Amino acid sequence: MYTFIFDIGKTNIKGAVLNESGQTVWSQSCANRSCLDPAYDFPCIDVEDIWAWLKSTLKAAAGQYPIAAINVSAHGACVVLVSDEDELLFPVMDYEVDELEIAGQSYAEYRPEYSQTLSPDLPGGLNAGRQIWWLKQSYPERFNQLGQILLYPQYWVWKLTGQLVTEATSLGCHTDLWEPMDHRFSTLVGKLGIEDAFPPLVDCFSSVGSVKKALAEDLGLSESCIVFPGVHDSNGSLARYLATDLSSPFNVVSTGTWVIIMAVGNPGDGLLEARDMLANVDVNGNPVPCARFMGGREFEKICQLTGVATDAPVTQESVQSIIDDYLFAVPPFEAGSGPFRQNPTTEQLTGRVSSGTSLATLYLALMVDYELELLNAQGPILFGSASQKNPLLCQLLAQLRPAQRVYMSNDSASTIKGAWSLTQGQKKAQKKGQKKMPPGFSDFNDFDIAQAAQIEGLPDYQKVWRKLALRENP
């Protein structure tokens, strides 16, 4: 049996075919870009363009492999409002919109307490609840035609199947719409009058139905090809690890446009809103304490500032030279996110370096280390596909945190493999330790232990970097 995974990241879109062992046998990708709708004053996601690409990619894949199942993973902070006539009520908003403000009105009057949602107050459209509030206040007559609100992965499931569903991993991704500790909608939903707009809540593990007959014929798919409910991308990555026999506590570092540290088995009683800490919801519906920053974007920014390509070589020798010369990249490099989001974005480099990718790698290691400390993270640390692209990042973290083992996955795409695992008969754990694991997930043989880097002066450098990041006198 072959499974097709449609993975929509903020930066890139991928389509992949996996075999019964979870190996990727075919893939295509393209860049994800925003657009502007002249009728609305906000950046949009070009869902029509993405839909055309998805159909073309699915058709190409189906021409080579008998696709039996499809699943979708997609980035968070995205909602799709559908009219009673099953048409888009508004363009799909890009969360990297400018501040959503309305003169004389305040979202803060609607927004639930952080203690209820564990969703921090974020800029722009990063809280999906703020997007809905702003659309309701800005276009009240149009909003009155609202039929359904779909989270982003479930929009694509609807396009494929015609089935309307809601799923908790996207609903609980800093939306302000969900109370993860109590497994229920937040008070914001009632205040906005949208209680009836969300389709039924389903779990990640059961198909919602088959691809629409006419669409299946057009794409060369079997009429029996089933579609699963979809998953938030970082939680798809986490699902790949929840399906192993690894005991909690452990920590997963999901990378991409965002770097998200997920502390499985952590009680989450020390989360700090000011540090951009939150609770996501895993595929079993359980809250997972997280800390995050826009690491992929910041890596690119540091490389840009130092005049190097993002794929330039990274070596221990160049990292050692940076530390010997006490050259620093001081956060934040992206406004409004991460543990130092309260600080101005100064794009501060304290000197000229010869290897921008090495400086950016060292920066990511220091940021991940700091966020693990904020989470009081216990147990091993697991990296997904980033460990294949930049193993020195894992090795630096292993040196910074000698009391914890750092594991490097041999997966080329952990989010895709995690989304695949949800289609393989995996069952939700009824009690701690009870999991039915799909083939290829029952052991840890596809992970390597990261050997600690041997960088002289790294502990002292780390202390100075933290003082600079915290705006303290080093």
Side-chain angles (χ1 to χ4, degrees):
M1 182 180 86
Y2 291 93
T3 303
F4 182 89
I5 304 299
F6 182 36
D7 177 31
I8 313 170
K10 189 61 174 64
T11 304
N12 295 298
I13 303 170
K14 302 172 186 175
V17 177
L18 287 77
N19 62 20
E20 291 184 350
S21 299
Q23 298 171 317
T24 298
V25 297
W26 183 96
S27 66
Q28 288 187 5
S29 64
C30 70
N32 195 1
R33 291 178 289 268
S34 295
C35 63
L36 289 173
D37 188 310
Y40 292 90
D41 188 24
F42 55 82
C44 310
I45 296 172
D46 193 345
V47 291
E48 291 303 318
D49 187 59
I50 295 173
W51 178 235
W53 186 88
L54 169 59
K55 290 190 293 182
S56 173
T57 305
L58 250 178
K59 189 170 186 175
Q64 299 183 48
Y65 299 92
I67 306 299
I70 298 171
N71 205 1
V72 180
S73 64
H75 63 78
C78 183
V79 287
V80 183
L81 278 61
V82 179
S83 73
D84 288 324
E85 288 76 34
D86 289 343
E87 297 178 351
L88 288 184
L89 192 61
F90 299 100
V92 180
M93 186 181 293
D94 185 330
Y95 65 69
E96 291 189 85
V97 64
D98 291 336
E99 290 299 320
L100 296 175
E101 302 292 349
I102 299 175
Q105 300 187 51
S106 173
Y107 177 62
E109 296 175 4
Y110 289 77
R111 185 173 177 271
E113 294 291 333
Y114 175 73
S115 60
Q116 295 176 318
T117 63
L118 298 177
S119 170
D121 187 8
L122 299 172
L126 281 167
N127 296 122
R130 189 191 301 268
Q131 295 181 31
I132 299 170
W133 166 82
W134 187 84
L135 290 169
K136 180 181 175 70
Q137 305 302 324
S138 300
Y139 306 96
E141 292 185 8
R142 182 73 174 162
F143 195 91
N144 284 338
Q145 301 173 41
L146 175 66
Q148 304 283 339
I149 297 176
L150 299 174
L151 283 307
Y152 199 34
Q154 287 73 60
Y155 169 71
W156 299 109
V157 171
W158 175 59
K159 293 283 285 184
L160 289 165
T161 68
Q163 299 298 314
L164 295 161
V165 297
T166 301
E167 184 278 321
T169 63
S170 293
L171 186 60
C173 176
H174 53 81
T175 63
D176 291 344
L177 299 167
W178 189 249
E179 296 182 8
M181 304 302 291
D182 294 321
H183 308 279
R184 66 188 182 191
F185 284 102
S186 75
T187 56
L188 176 62
V189 173
K191 289 180 179 180
L192 292 175
I194 55 175
E195 303 97 320
D196 298 328
F198 289 93
L201 190 66
V202 300
D203 67 44
C204 295
F205 305 94
S206 302
S207 72
V208 302
S210 301
V211 176
K212 290 184 286 190
K213 183 177 179 180
L215 181 62
E217 290 176 355
D218 182 51
L219 301 182
L221 294 166
S222 167
E223 290 185 15
S224 62
C225 179
I226 58 175
V227 180
F228 284 76
V231 65
H232 171 238
D233 54 6
S234 294
N235 282 289
S237 178
L238 178 60
R240 183 259 177 276
Y241 306 101
L242 294 176
T244 69
D245 52 5
L246 181 66
S247 298
S248 62
F250 63 89
N251 310 279
V252 173
V253 182
S254 174
T255 59
T257 303
W258 293 88
V259 173
I260 304 177
I261 296 90
M262 297 171 276
V264 177
N266 185 308
D269 50 8
L271 297 181
L272 301 172
E273 181 176 12
R275 296 295 183 193
D276 204 359
M277 302 173 74
L278 63 151
N280 275 347
V281 176
D282 71 18
V283 293
N284 291 325
N286 300 319
V288 180
C290 298
R292 63 183 203 145
F293 64 105
M294 222 170 186
R297 192 72 59 77
E298 292 195 311
F299 188 97
E300 294 174 355
K301 185 68 68 66
I302 293 170
C303 290
Q304 179 184 14
L305 291 169
T306 55
V308 299
T310 56
D311 59 353
V314 179
T315 66
Q316 287 206 41
E317 291 76 16
S318 56
V319 171
Q320 185 67 67
S321 177
I322 290 167
I323 289 177
D324 289 343
D325 293 338
Y326 254 40
L327 302 175
F328 296 91
V330 182
F333 288 85
E334 281 290 324
S337 75
F340 307 108
R341 63 189 182 121
Q342 71 277 12
N343 294 337
T345 307
T346 58
E347 299 180 352
Q348 183 180 354
L349 303 177
T350 63
R352 297 179 62 86
V353 297
S354 58
S355 176
T357 49
S358 294
L359 178 63
T361 298
L362 178 58
Y363 174 86
L364 290 189
L366 292 164
M367 287 286 286
V368 172
D369 171 57
Y370 182 68
E371 297 216 307
L372 286 164
E373 185 169 310
L374 287 175
L375 286 164
N376 190 26
Q378 306 296 314
I381 302 162
L382 297 90
F383 275 85
S385 53
S387 60
Q388 297 298 303
K389 302 169 186 174
N390 195 345
L392 185 55
L393 169 61
C394 306
Q395 294 161 4
L396 286 167
L397 191 65
Q399 183 178 352
L400 288 165
R401 304 187 72 83
Q404 293 172 276
R405 278 192 170 180
V406 178
Y407 286 93
M408 303 189 299
S409 169
N410 291 319
D411 290 345
S412 59
S414 293
T415 297
I416 287 174
K417 194 162 186 178
W420 166 85
S421 77
L422 299 174
T423 71
Q424 299 299 301
Q426 177 185 356
K427 303 298 183 183
K428 290 188 287 184
Q430 300 301 314
K431 295 180 181 178
K432 184 178 179 181
Q434 288 186 344
K435 293 183 178 68
K436 180 180 178 182
M437 291 165 288
F441 279 81
S442 60
D443 56 46
F444 236 19
N445 291 338
D446 53 352
F447 285 81
D448 298 321
I449 297 174
Q451 300 302 313
Q454 303 296 315
I455 304 295
E456 294 182 5
L458 180 58
D460 290 337
Y461 180 94
Q462 174 208 44
K463 293 176 183 177
V464 175
W465 178 86
R466 282 199 181 179
K467 289 184 176 181
L468 291 170
L470 292 165
R471 302 303 195 259
E472 297 174 357
N473 188 349

